[in-house]
């Protein structure tokens, strides 16, 4: 064998040895880490709520974050005292015990229902989809916006599978006196 071929083989062997050494060193340094099975953080980071809520879509994102986090404080911050949660006709009932059928309820009942729900479930998944944001025709000032969203809600209760709801919701949002957006009316148009 020529001296030149021996040098090439020797050079190739040296390069291969360096590559193998680098790989072995990387495996030793990284311990038992497997890039195909990464560790999953058991507790996801807290949501980054919008503050200030200077756009209508931001209040809906905060609503979604609060649901998933089961955070009653951030949930209630999405509304003001004039909230109207409009029900489908099939759900009309006397919710406040005044002897009259309620077609919608206000902030007090919304707060009570959600405190109970957030405290008695193990987890909630809520997805709001859509980007529509147009002036609400029923507001002559043109300052209120309507945002139609498709939603998928899964509520998992302790000791059971939970329940699901999906469909559409119409949110009427407007600004308060501090120029922050909030949900004024919420119209339930769910399928289930």
């Amino acid at each position: 064998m020529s001296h030149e071929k021996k040098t090439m083989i020797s050079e190739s062997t040296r390069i291969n040895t360096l590559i193998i050494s680098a790989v072995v060193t990387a495996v030793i340094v990284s311990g038992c880490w497997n890039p195909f099975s990464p560790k999953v953080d058991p507790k996801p980071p807290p949501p980054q709520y919008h503050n200030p809520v200077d756009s209508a879509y931001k209040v809906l994102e905060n609503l979604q974050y609060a649901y998933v986090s089961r955070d009653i404080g951030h949930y209630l911050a999405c509304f003001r005292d004039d909230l109207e949660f409009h029900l489908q006709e099939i759900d009309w009932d006397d919710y406040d015990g005044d002897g009259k059928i309620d077609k919608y309820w206000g902030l007090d009942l919304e707060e009570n229902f959600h405190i109970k729900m957030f405290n008695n479930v193990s987890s909630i998944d809520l997805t709001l989809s859509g980007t529509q944001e147009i002036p609400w025709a029923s507001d002559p000032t043109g300052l209120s916006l309507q945002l139609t969203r498709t939603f998928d809600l899964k509520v998992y209760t302790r000791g059971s599978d939970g329940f699901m709801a999906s469909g559409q919701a119409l949110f009427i949002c407007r600004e308060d006196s501090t120029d922050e957006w909030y949900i004024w009316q919420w119209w339930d148009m769910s399928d289930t």
Side-chain angles (χ1 to χ4, degrees), residues 5-192:
K5 281 188 176 181
K6 283 182 184 177
T7 304
M8 286 180 81
I9 292 172
S10 163
E11 192 75 29
S12 175
T13 304
R14 192 174 322 142
I15 291 172
N16 287 340
T17 303
L18 286 173
I19 292 172
I20 291 170
S21 295
V23 170
V24 168
T25 302
V27 169
I28 290 170
V29 169
S30 67
C32 296
W33 179 74
N34 181 347
F36 301 105
S37 180
K39 287 184 180 180
V40 177
D41 186 5
K43 187 176 180 187
Q48 297 298 311
Y49 292 97
H50 295 287
N51 187 14
V53 184
D54 54 6
S55 298
Y57 79 90
K58 289 181 179 179
V59 72
L60 296 188
E61 288 183 0
N62 282 355
L63 177 87
Q64 183 175 345
Y65 299 152
Y67 247 90
V68 172
S69 299
R70 297 176 299 159
D71 183 327
I72 194 66
H74 279 103
Y75 181 73
L76 294 175
C78 296
F79 312 107
R80 301 298 178 269
D81 290 338
D82 60 352
L83 170 70
E84 297 176 3
F85 183 91
H86 290 264
L87 303 159
Q88 293 187 23
E89 187 173 355
I90 193 169
D91 296 322
W92 292 354
D93 204 344
D94 181 13
Y95 291 98
D96 57 10
D98 66 358
K100 298 177 186 170
I101 298 297
D102 298 311
K103 296 179 180 180
Y104 67 90
W105 61 60
L107 185 60
D108 55 343
L109 287 176
E110 186 71 10
E111 179 178 4
N112 290 338
F113 292 148
H114 281 79
I115 286 172
K116 289 176 186 170
M117 181 173 70
F118 289 174
N119 288 336
N120 292 297
V121 301
S122 57
S123 67
I124 299 174
D125 291 329
L126 173 63
T127 305
L128 296 174
S129 304
T131 58
Q132 180 195 48
E133 188 172 307
I134 58 174
W136 186 44
S138 295
D139 180 357
T141 67
L143 300 176
S144 300
L145 296 177
Q146 70 178 38
L147 292 81
T148 302
R149 296 294 183 263
T150 300
F151 71 89
D152 185 28
L153 173 66
K154 296 177 184 116
V155 178
Y156 301 97
T157 58
R158 295 179 178 107
S160 77
D161 294 332
F163 67 92
M164 297 174 36
S166 61
Q168 287 199 331
L170 172 64
F171 298 94
I172 308 301
C173 300
R174 61 184 182 186
E175 290 179 285
D176 65 13
S177 61
T178 66
D179 297 327
E180 294 231 358
W181 285 85
Y182 72 98
I183 299 168
W184 170 38
Q185 295 182 20
W186 181 346
W187 294 77
D188 178 18
M189 300 182 286
S190 58
D191 300 331
T192 54

